[in-house]
Amino acid sequence: MEGKVILSVLVAPGGRVMEIKLLESSGHEQLDKAAEKAARIGRFETEKWTEYFIPFTFKIDEEEEPPQNVESVSK
């Protein structure tokens, strides 16, 4: 799965995120939500109201599923 997300993040004086807008979707809801979560918990330092435009690029290699007939060995 891969995609690019662009967010607009409005930050209040002191660094608190006040608003997040999705400007460009990756086409995958999971990636869009991951970008929004990252922006919300991010740290910003500003002394005035500031709008940041933040691009996120995701490229996740999906691993093959493990074989179904694998026995676990306990010691």
Side-chain angles (χ1 to χ4, degrees):
M1 180 182 331
E2 60 184 2
K4 182 177 180 179
V5 178
I6 300 178
L7 300 178
S8 164
V9 180
L10 182 62
V11 180
R16 184 170 177 208
V17 173
M18 300 303 292
E19 182 178 84
I20 297 175
K21 292 180 185 176
L22 180 64
L23 300 180
E24 183 180 312
S25 172
S26 66
H28 301 281
E29 186 178 358
Q30 285 180 299
L31 299 182
D32 295 348
K33 289 194 178 291
E36 290 177 20
K37 183 177 179 180
R40 185 151 316 276
I41 64 174
R43 303 248 181 218
F44 297 88
E45 293 185 21
T46 183
E47 295 180 11
K48 61 181 181 174
W49 285 91
T50 306
E51 183 178 20
Y52 294 93
F53 297 95
I54 306 173
F56 292 85
T57 302
F58 294 93
K59 184 171 183 180
I60 301 170
D61 293 328
E62 297 180 35
E63 295 182 24
E64 294 181 29
E65 290 189 31
Q68 297 298 318
N69 297 327
V70 175
E71 295 181 25
S72 61
V73 178
S74 300
K75 290 186 178 184

